[in-house]
Amino acid sequence: MKATALMKLIYLEMFGHDMSWASFHVLEVMSSPKYLQKRVGYLGAVQSFRQDTEVLMLATNLLKKDLTSTSAITMSLPIVTLPHVITPSLALSVLSDLLPRLTHSNPAIRKKTIVTLYRLALVYPETLRPAWPKIKDRLMDEGEDPSVTAAIVNVVCELGWRRPHDFLPLAPRLFELLVDGGNNWMAIKLIKLFATLTPLEPRLVKKLLPPLTSIIRTTPAMSLLYECINGIIQGGILGNGDDSAAGEEIATLCVGKLRGMIMVEGDPNLKYVALLAFNKIVLTHPYLVAEQEDVIMDCIDNPDISIRLRALDLVVGMVSSENLMSIVGRLMRQLRNSRSPTTDERGQRPAVGAIEPAADSDDEAPEIAIRPSREPSSEPPLPDEYKIDVISRVLEMCSSNNYGNLVDFDWYIDILIQLVREAPVVRPVTMLDDSDSRSRDEPALDVSGRIGDELRSVAVKVRAIRLQATRAAEAILISAYNDNSSPLTPASGALRPIAWIVGEYASNLETPDGTLTALLHITRSSAPPEALIIFLQAIPKTFAFIAGDDQVIWTPERKTMVSLLMARIIHVLEPLAIHPDLEVQERAVEITELLRLAAEAASGQEPSSDEIQQDAPLLLTQAIPSLFSGLELNSVAVGAQRNVPVPSDLDLDELINPNLTNLLRTVDMTALDEPDEDGFETYYHQPPAAAAPTAGEPAINRLGGASEDAVHSYQQGGEESYLDPDILARRRAERLERNKDDPFYIAPTDAVSRSSTPLHNILQSNNGPDFDVDEIPVMQLELDRTNTPVTGQSSPKKPIIPKSRQRIQVAADETLVSGSSSPGNYDSESNLDAPQRPKLKGKSLLQVDSSHIGTISLEEGDHAASALDFERQQREEAEMAKAMKEVERLRLEMQRANERIQAAQGVSTETVVKKKKKKSKPVEAEAGKVPTKKKKSKQVATDEGQGEPSISADVVKPKKKKKKPKPEEGGSEHQESLVSGENGA
């Protein structure tokens, strides 16, 4: 009845109900002599017992009793229960009873015992010392049962990665099992173990290459196929330089098999692990992986986000100058055609439909499971985190190796403009927002700031493309001011480096007045202090370029224009003089006061007339521009700041102004209110109403009509599939302007009439407007007559070679000579170059601290092989010496106490002689026959027996003093005192 109730209680425990209160009843059922009831009790112990269960100590004797049972089924119950309830003390108790089970006649008992011993070793590492020789004997036995051998291989594989050098002597036997085993799962374990042994023994590479190649070519099991490829990669066989031909052959074979795994339809797990293997092969054989670009790029559009991320990792590693534009175009097309998730769709995974594998991954060949690809379903919404990752990878691919793979910087600038528009918008945080929902729903960072930084890096490093980069920054800034639907806000991270570009390279601006107006408008809005600092620095630079031209005559019109411009700037910057941020205050006050002085100088300078020509004020033409001219700012390496020596007299803790606290207390911290709207504000700061559609948009796009077909392949579609119409129109106009004088360039039909070509224009201008090209007679060309000379014309001997692309020089980052500094790549969670995240030590899958197993040596006499063993030995010897000193001190104290008691009771003279021989000088003078060294008790008794009576008579007198002997003084041993007392008696 109790066993039946316990069975029901175990069933309820599986639903989450606690049954720890019934642990004593479980122990009672475990002690039942009937096997069926005992089995229920052990099942309850597995479900409810933990290391802190109080009745576990009472179960020790029961476990030891059942381990020595004659019945195999009864013996197996404690063996399978121990891994769930084991503690260090329990392991020490049952180890002696568990080791004999390794030689049991039943192979099932031996297999379970081996696995249980490994579990004991996790909590009690000393288990391995007596158990490993027996386990090794079972492994070397060729007649052992295959199930027992497989269990031993599993244990060896788990121990091998901790101390692989201990298992090198087993390599011949393990290799034999790999070749002749016939068990796929055991082969997987052996391959993993050999992957850890090959770095220690490079000769294993040549030995393992033939069997692994045979398995890869013949096995139909996908799991074994992947583990073989993974073992070859981790074991360093691909990167081994001893036999390059064999390495190339095995690498080609692995890449071909991985391609087949990716092409298996309906199994995303195979795609995922194949992409993981490709990410490892690309480090040693990038050209082989680049040949599989078609199947890898198909994974970019996979509905599974995890497969997309692994494919992104892979394309970053295999990118080159030949495929950069196609890969980036595919990613840009994906960003443009995707939609952001709605509020209801945030936080839940997209439904990709049911997965129906076409073949069994472990039983059928991969070629059988390949099916023709079906049309992709409706594309799920892309989360903002994925978009941020894609944008980061695009920037990383284009800027890698100091733009070494980039061949067209004009195209890259257009990509950056498009990325600014496609970047996810980060909404500002309000007081009503929940921090948890904010971190879950919104992107963690503003990726537009990285895009702006990249545009600034191009403008700084590439001098030949600086004009185009500045014009692009200008276009982005003006669109953010004019277009209300623009995703850019004053708080966007992209506007900070863009404002820096237009200020630093104001001489390259196309419309400086419009750029300055946009800067003033953005500065007036609620921008963060970090952005205002950069905006305030860009405004005077742009103004200095507009008003600082000394070649322009100081006319009344120019005087009026400059005066009104300075008034506009002062009107915008005056409210910022009381901004809460000190840096914003400082810059606003400096620029405002400087412009006021310039306004006074401009008002006092008379304009030029017909009779007298006046120059512009020197404050405008020389003083203010000189503040921003001089040495050119170059790119600085990331680690260059660390190489700057710190001045010895620098004290960062010293206050700059002792009265700073009182000054800050008096500042009005109220929020800045928007200034009242007036005519001046409306005229200079309000943008005009849009009376027509966007000017940059071609008219053909406003007519409506056919929509653009979706592009399903990266080989189809050009730039029009991922660039906006205004960018395409600008690129088309630049191309027409560049090729207008080229007679071999055929202009598009939508831009030039069919009958108006450059050749036709030449003929019409020379022959009159009535000339018709169609009236020219057609002559028959006789290609056989190649020797006929043509008079008056010389046929070209060489084909026209197209103009080579302009060679662009990219400046390197500046740094100091001392130290090593280099521009670092952006950090990424899945970047292979980045340092790998350290694994947590001490926690295995069994939730047990197993880090100390690596300190146990399995070789005899090898305890001091490692530094850790040597330190532990030294520590144990020091503790042992300290303990011996403490024991000696206690023994001496007990001896002194015993001697004092005997002296008070009137012991024999021989005892006093032995006690006082080192203290009393008369005794030392007369006791010449008494030995001074400590000897054994028999020798002391013999010596004292030969002493003369006069010595005893002389020594009895000092006894009346009754001085207590000092504890530190030496004396005879306790046994010597007892023997002396017996002789005196």
Side-chain angles (χ1 to χ4, degrees):
M1 181 67 70
K2 183 172 290 188
T4 305
L6 181 60
M7 184 72 74
K8 296 179 180 179
L9 189 59
I10 293 173
Y11 179 76
L12 294 177
E13 195 271 342
M14 295 180 182
F15 287 93
H17 299 281
D18 184 26
M19 62 171 293
S20 59
W21 54 271
S23 57
F24 189 78
H25 302 286
V26 173
L27 185 61
E28 290 181 345
V29 179
M30 290 171 58
S31 61
S32 175
K34 298 181 179 180
Y35 172 74
L36 295 179
Q37 296 179 0
K38 182 183 290 291
R39 184 178 64 178
V40 174
Y42 274 101
L43 177 60
V46 171
Q47 292 292 113
S48 61
F49 281 11
R50 299 294 179 266
Q51 293 186 359
D52 56 349
T53 303
E54 296 179 355
V55 301
L56 191 58
M57 294 184 297
L58 304 178
T60 303
N61 291 331
L62 178 61
L63 293 171
K64 294 171 65 67
K65 175 183 175 183
D66 290 340
L67 282 174
T68 57
S69 175
T70 57
S71 175
I73 57 176
T74 303
M75 187 186 304
S76 64
L77 292 178
I79 294 178
V80 299
T81 304
L82 280 174
H84 300 275
V85 300
I86 195 65
T87 60
S89 59
L90 182 60
L92 181 61
S93 301
V94 302
L95 180 59
S96 59
D97 299 306
L98 196 61
L99 288 177
R101 307 287 81 80
L102 288 174
T103 57
H104 197 273
S105 59
N106 193 336
I109 297 297
R110 299 198 299 271
K111 178 182 67 175
K112 295 176 181 178
T113 303
I114 290 171
V115 178
T116 303
L117 285 174
Y118 170 71
R119 184 62 176 85
L120 262 66
L122 294 180
V123 296
Y124 183 62
E126 295 296 329
T127 303
L128 293 176
R129 297 195 186 278
W132 174 244
K134 298 180 179 295
I135 296 176
K136 184 177 178 181
D137 293 340
R138 294 289 91 194
L139 178 63
M140 304 304 292
D141 187 3
E142 296 182 359
E144 184 58 85
D145 189 84
S147 62
V148 180
T149 304
I152 296 175
V153 169
N154 278 274
V155 173
V156 171
C157 183
E158 292 298 325
L159 297 175
W161 63 269
R162 294 182 175 92
R163 292 180 64 93
H165 53 273
D166 289 341
F167 300 94
L168 280 177
L170 301 178
R173 174 59 178 165
L174 297 177
F175 180 79
E176 181 183 351
L177 292 174
L178 177 64
V179 176
D180 304 329
N183 187 346
N184 287 348
W185 293 110
M186 186 173 66
I188 290 174
K189 292 292 184 180
L190 290 172
I191 292 171
K192 290 183 177 180
L193 180 59
F194 276 120
T196 61
L197 296 181
T198 48
L200 301 178
E201 183 54 68
R203 292 177 295 179
L204 285 174
V205 173
K206 292 184 178 181
K207 191 73 174 176
L208 291 172
L209 199 55
L212 292 181
T213 305
S214 176
I215 292 175
I216 292 176
R217 289 175 175 171
T218 59
T219 181
M222 286 292 189
S223 57
L224 181 57
L225 174 63
Y226 172 73
E227 290 299 337
C228 282
I229 297 175
N230 192 36
I232 288 174
I233 297 171
Q234 292 184 353
I237 298 178
L238 290 181
N240 188 17
D242 296 339
D243 191 357
S244 58
E248 291 294 327
E249 181 182 358
I250 190 65
T252 305
L253 179 61
C254 293
V255 170
K257 291 295 183 179
L258 291 175
R259 178 186 175 90
M261 294 175 65
I262 293 180
M263 295 180 65
V264 173
E265 183 66 22
D267 197 342
N269 295 324
L270 291 180
K271 289 183 181 352
Y272 187 84
V273 296
L275 290 174
L276 287 180
F278 268 136
N279 275 298
K280 299 173 182 177
I281 296 178
V282 76
L283 299 178
T284 56
H285 298 76
Y287 56 92
L288 292 179
V289 180
E291 295 176 356
Q292 318 302 324
E293 183 179 348
D294 52 345
V295 294
I296 295 173
M297 294 304 298
D298 287 340
C299 296
I300 294 292
D301 295 328
N302 194 281
D304 195 338
I305 296 296
S306 60
I307 294 179
R308 290 190 180 193
L309 292 176
R310 299 290 78 78
L312 282 177
D313 296 337
L314 191 55
V315 298
V316 172
M318 70 178 190
V319 70
S320 63
S321 58
E322 288 79 12
N323 59 9
L324 174 64
M325 298 182 68
S326 62
I327 292 176
V328 174
R330 179 67 174 267
L331 297 177
M332 294 295 299
R333 193 177 300 115
Q334 183 183 103
L335 287 176
R336 190 184 183 198
N337 297 334
S338 64
R339 61 183 180 91
S340 298
T342 60
T343 306
D344 297 335
E345 293 172 339
R346 293 179 187 269
Q348 62 183 4
R349 299 181 62 181
V352 297
I355 298 175
E356 298 178 359
D360 188 359
S361 299
D362 290 336
D363 297 333
E364 296 186 10
E367 290 78 6
I368 300 177
I370 297 177
R371 298 290 187 269
S373 60
R374 298 188 298 266
E375 291 294 330
S377 58
S378 59
E379 191 168 347
L382 295 180
D384 290 341
E385 290 80 4
Y386 175 76
K387 290 184 177 181
I388 292 175
D389 201 0
V390 170
I391 294 174
S392 302
R393 303 303 173 87
V394 170
L395 298 178
E396 180 181 353
M397 287 186 293
C398 295
S399 62
S400 61
N401 195 18
N402 200 19
Y403 306 101
N405 296 327
L406 200 58
V407 296
D408 189 354
F409 279 91
D410 292 329
W411 169 84
Y412 185 43
I413 290 176
D414 293 334
I415 290 294
L416 293 177
I417 297 175
Q418 188 68 32
L419 286 178
V420 171
R421 301 176 182 177
E422 299 294 342
V425 180
V426 180
R427 64 182 180 90
V429 182
T430 61
M431 297 298 294
L432 300 178
D433 290 340
D434 186 9
S435 59
D436 296 337
S437 62
R438 162 73 180 175
S439 60
R440 182 177 64 254
D441 297 339
E442 299 297 329
L445 52 87
D446 186 8
V447 74
S448 64
R450 291 183 56 183
I451 304 173
D453 292 340
E454 193 64 29
L455 184 61
R456 178 174 57 186
S457 178
V458 172
V460 172
K461 289 186 175 182
V462 189
R463 185 185 300 271
I465 210 70
R466 184 172 295 170
L467 174 63
Q468 291 85 336
T470 307
R471 297 288 175 84
E474 180 185 17
I476 296 174
L477 187 64
I478 294 178
S479 65
Y481 163 64
N482 292 330
D483 191 3
N484 295 329
S485 62
S486 175
L488 293 178
T489 61
S492 298
L495 290 182
R496 303 174 191 177
I498 286 175
W500 186 91
I501 293 173
V502 299
E504 187 68 22
Y505 307 114
S507 59
N508 296 327
L509 295 176
E510 185 177 4
T511 56
D513 295 333
T515 304
L516 183 59
T517 302
L519 284 173
L520 294 175
H521 176 75
I522 295 175
T523 305
R524 290 180 58 254
S525 57
S526 56
E530 297 81 6
L532 285 176
I533 293 172
I534 301 178
F535 297 159
L536 289 176
Q537 197 71 13
I539 289 174
K541 293 180 180 179
T542 310
F543 169 76
F545 172 73
I546 296 175
D549 190 359
D550 55 355
Q551 302 297 329
V552 181
I553 302 175
W554 184 250
T555 60
E557 293 79 7
R558 185 188 178 192
K559 177 180 179 180
T560 304
M561 185 270 294
V562 172
S563 301
L564 290 177
L565 192 58
M566 289 187 291
R568 289 173 57 191
I569 299 175
I570 293 173
H571 181 75
V572 172
L573 300 187
E574 278 182 346
L576 298 179
I578 56 174
H579 195 275
D581 190 82
L582 294 180
E583 185 73 14
V584 175
Q585 282 187 31
E586 180 182 1
R587 299 197 179 194
V589 171
E590 289 177 352
I591 299 172
T592 302
E593 295 301 325
L594 182 62
L595 292 181
R596 284 175 179 171
L597 292 176
E600 294 179 0
S603 61
Q605 182 74 14
E606 295 295 332
S608 300
S609 60
D610 296 338
E611 296 82 8
I612 302 176
Q613 182 176 356
Q614 298 288 344
D615 294 332
L618 296 179
L619 190 60
L620 290 175
T621 58
Q622 295 185 10
I624 295 180
S626 64
L627 297 176
F628 310 108
S629 61
L631 297 178
E632 183 179 356
L633 296 179
N634 297 325
S635 178
V636 180
V638 176
Q641 185 65 32
R642 293 192 295 265
N643 298 332
V644 178
V646 180
S648 59
D649 56 346
L650 177 63
D651 187 6
L652 297 179
D653 297 330
E654 183 181 358
L655 293 177
I656 300 176
N657 189 345
N659 199 26
L660 181 61
T661 305
N662 297 330
L663 293 177
L664 295 178
R665 191 179 294 113
T666 58
V667 176
D668 187 10
M669 303 299 292
T670 57
L672 297 177
D673 298 331
E674 292 292 334
D676 298 336
E677 299 293 337
D678 53 7
F680 183 86
E681 183 73 16
T682 304
Y683 182 82
Y684 285 107
H685 295 284
Q686 294 297 333
T694 305
E697 183 180 3
I700 189 64
N701 296 333
R702 299 195 294 267
L703 297 178
S707 60
E708 188 175 336
D709 295 336
V711 180
H712 300 292
S713 174
Y714 74 99
Q715 296 177 346
Q716 301 175 2
E719 297 176 350
E720 64 275 0
S721 60
Y722 57 86
L723 294 180
D724 285 346
D726 57 338
I727 300 178
L728 293 174
R730 178 174 55 80
R731 290 178 64 87
R732 188 180 299 110
E734 292 175 355
R735 185 166 56 250
L736 290 176
E737 181 66 21
R738 185 170 58 250
N739 299 320
K740 63 180 181 179
D741 296 330
D742 189 355
F744 299 98
Y745 176 73
I746 301 177
T749 56
D750 56 349
V752 183
S753 174
R754 182 180 300 273
S755 61
S756 179
T757 62
L759 181 61
H760 182 272
N761 294 335
I762 295 174
L763 294 175
Q764 190 174 17
S765 61
N766 295 332
N767 298 277
D770 298 334
F771 178 77
D772 190 2
V773 181
D774 298 333
E775 295 181 357
I776 300 177
V778 179
M779 299 178 61
Q780 184 178 2
L781 298 178
E782 297 180 0
L783 301 179
D784 298 336
R785 301 174 58 184
T786 57
N787 297 327
T788 304
V790 180
T791 59
Q793 296 181 357
S794 61
S795 58
K797 297 182 180 180
K798 296 182 180 180
I800 299 178
I801 302 176
K803 297 180 179 180
S804 59
R805 189 177 301 275
Q806 180 185 4
R807 183 177 180 85
I808 295 178
Q809 183 179 2
V810 181
D813 294 333
E814 292 185 350
T815 183
L816 297 182
V817 177
S818 61
S820 60
S821 303
S822 60
N825 296 329
Y826 291 112
D827 293 336
S828 179
E829 182 181 355
S830 304
N831 192 359
L832 296 176
D833 296 335
Q836 297 294 330
R837 190 174 299 173
K839 296 182 179 179
L840 296 178
K841 285 187 175 182
K843 284 295 183 180
S844 63
L845 295 178
L846 301 174
Q847 301 298 319
V848 178
D849 185 5
S850 60
S851 59
H852 47 272
I853 296 184
T855 62
I856 300 298
S857 175
L858 302 181
E859 298 293 334
E860 297 181 359
D862 192 25
H863 301 296
S866 62
L868 184 60
D869 294 340
F870 179 75
E871 293 177 359
R872 186 182 64 177
Q873 183 180 6
Q874 295 293 328
R875 186 168 57 253
E876 291 178 355
E877 292 179 356
E879 292 178 356
M880 180 63 67
K882 183 178 180 181
M884 292 297 296
K885 290 182 180 180
E886 183 69 18
V887 171
E888 182 69 16
R889 186 183 63 82
L890 294 176
R891 186 189 62 79
L892 291 176
E893 290 181 357
M894 294 174 62
Q895 175 186 345
R896 300 298 187 277
N898 188 22
E899 290 177 353
R900 288 195 299 270
I901 294 174
Q902 292 177 0
Q905 294 177 356
V907 295
S908 61
T909 57
E910 288 83 2
T911 305
V912 180
V913 171
K914 189 65 180 176
K915 176 181 177 182
K916 296 295 184 178
K917 64 181 180 179
K918 291 185 179 181
K919 180 178 180 181
S920 177
K921 293 181 178 181
V923 174
E924 294 176 356
E926 298 177 2
K929 296 182 180 181
V930 179
T932 57
K933 294 184 179 180
K934 297 180 181 180
K935 296 183 179 180
K936 295 183 179 180
S937 57
K938 293 182 180 181
Q939 296 176 356
V940 175
T942 304
D943 295 339
E944 291 181 356
Q946 296 175 356
E948 296 180 359
S950 60
I951 299 176
S952 302
D954 295 336
V955 180
V956 173
K957 296 180 180 179
K959 179 182 175 182
K960 297 179 181 179
K961 297 181 180 179
K962 295 183 180 180
K963 288 185 179 181
K964 295 182 180 181
K966 295 182 181 180
E968 60 271 9
E969 291 181 1
S972 61
E973 298 180 356
H974 184 55
Q975 294 179 356
E976 296 175 351
S977 300
L978 293 178
V979 173
S980 300
E982 292 176 358
N983 294 334

